[in-house]
Amino acid sequence: MVDQLSAVFAALADPTRRAILARLRDGEATVAELAEPFAMSQPAVSKHLKVLEQAGLITRTRRATARLSHLRAEPLRAARDWLGDYRAYWRESHDRLDDLLTELQEKDT
Amino acid sequence: MVDQLSAVFAALADPTRRAILARLRDGEATVAELAEPFAMSQPAVSKHLKVLEQAGLITRTRRATARLSHLRAEPLRAARDWLGDYRAYWRESHDRLDDLLTELQEKDT
DNA sequence: CGCCTCCATAACCATTTCGTTCTGAAACCA
DNA sequence: TGGTTTCAGAACGAAATGGTTATGGAGGCG
């Protein structure tokens, strides 16, 4: 993986990793805590955490024998910025079905 | 690939595919036109287009012997919405280094 | 010290991804 | 009809991905 943006999108392409990020919004967590919701071995979760770390989406610290993961959402901003360049193409009149639905909704309002 | 969101993020994880989407903002294009900027065979580009089509990010029509690709940005909205849930985590004080930099910048201003 | 807990790494396997070359189908053109 | 252009699909290979089990190291605790 060469570029940061590709790494971030690739990290987000896995539902397990998205769930881990969602969990980390509630605060730091140990590997065992993060693994608990999944029907998956501990090393599998460790691998996911490594992917997230390499994409810059988490940082990790130690506390006693535990390794704590912390959300680092900053790279998500770049991803969101990239998507923002396409805003006009789903808002403006580039998809006729979309336009139709939008018009109908606006008449409802 | 089970869910739509994973398919979209996976599609965006490749720089070639992101470049193809960017090109399609200028309007529909043939496979040959899309392949032109890349040091890559035509079947390789056809495969990328298939990935984009299955993610719902392009639609395809025929015109004579040519197959035209059209941008369909709508699924990008869902991706952007997902990222939006993390907005607070890069804006608010969850990253100490970020906070520091933000403070320094604000002092500059 | 010796054990226990927490977790990373190694080794392995199956599948997917990303590229290639070769081939042939579909639609137009002379 | 026969040739040409445009592109998709098959077949293949290398590397990455996502999972497993087995192992062992680092750091507290009795």
Side-chain angles (χ1 to χ4, degrees):
Chain A
M1 195 77 54
V2 227
D3 59 305
Q4 175 73 11
L5 197 51
S6 295
V8 170
F9 280 134
L12 298 182
D14 188 288
T16 301
R17 288 194 291 263
R18 291 201 303 276
I20 288 174
L21 291 179
R23 162 64 184 81
L24 290 177
R25 285 187 296 187
D26 298 337
E28 61 186 18
T30 67
V31 175
E33 284 164 0
L34 293 174
E36 193 273 327
F38 305 107
M40 195 181 296
S41 66
Q42 168 261 310
V45 173
S46 280
K47 281 192 185 180
H48 283 305
L49 292 175
K50 196 172 189 178
V51 171
L52 289 170
E53 187 176 23
Q54 287 175 349
L57 291 169
I58 64 172
T59 60
R60 313 180 78 177
T61 58
R62 295 196 75 122
R63 190 176 60 197
T65 75
R67 317 295 174 82
L68 297 173
S69 296
H70 311 260
L71 179 62
R72 188 172 163 270
E74 220 273 323
L76 296 180
R77 186 200 313 215
R80 195 156 188 275
D81 286 349
W82 188 90
L83 288 167
D85 292 346
Y86 290 83
R87 219 161 172 258
Y89 296 87
W90 74 65
R91 284 169 53 93
E92 296 177 4
S93 40
H94 285 272
D95 187 327
R96 293 196 176 170
L97 179 56
D98 261 38
D99 285 357
L100 192 61
L101 293 171
T102 304
E103 276 177 22
L104 288 172
Q105 279 187 335
E106 284 171 358
K107 277 174 188 166
D108 260 353
T109 317
Chain B
M1 195 75 54
V2 228
D3 60 306
Q4 175 72 11
L5 197 51
S6 295
V8 170
F9 280 134
L12 298 182
D14 187 287
T16 301
R17 288 194 290 263
R18 291 201 304 275
I20 288 174
L21 290 179
R23 163 63 184 81
L24 289 177
R25 285 187 296 187
D26 298 337
E28 60 186 19
T30 66
V31 174
E33 284 165 2
L34 292 174
E36 193 274 326
F38 305 107
M40 194 180 299
S41 66
Q42 168 261 312
V45 173
S46 280
K47 281 192 185 180
H48 282 305
L49 293 175
K50 197 173 187 178
V51 172
L52 290 169
E53 188 177 23
Q54 286 175 349
L57 291 168
I58 63 171
T59 59
R60 312 180 78 178
T61 57
R62 294 197 76 122
R63 191 177 58 197
T65 75
R67 317 296 173 80
L68 297 173
S69 295
H70 312 260
L71 178 61
R72 187 171 162 272
E74 220 273 324
L76 296 179
R77 186 199 313 215
R80 196 156 188 274
D81 287 349
W82 188 90
L83 288 167
D85 293 346
Y86 290 83
R87 213 155 175 261
Y89 297 86
W90 73 66
R91 284 168 54 94
E92 295 177 3
S93 41
H94 285 270
D95 186 327
R96 293 197 175 169
L97 179 56
D98 262 37
D99 285 356
L100 193 62
L101 292 172
T102 303
E103 278 176 22
L104 288 173
Q105 279 186 335
E106 284 171 358
K107 276 174 189 165
D108 260 354
T109 317

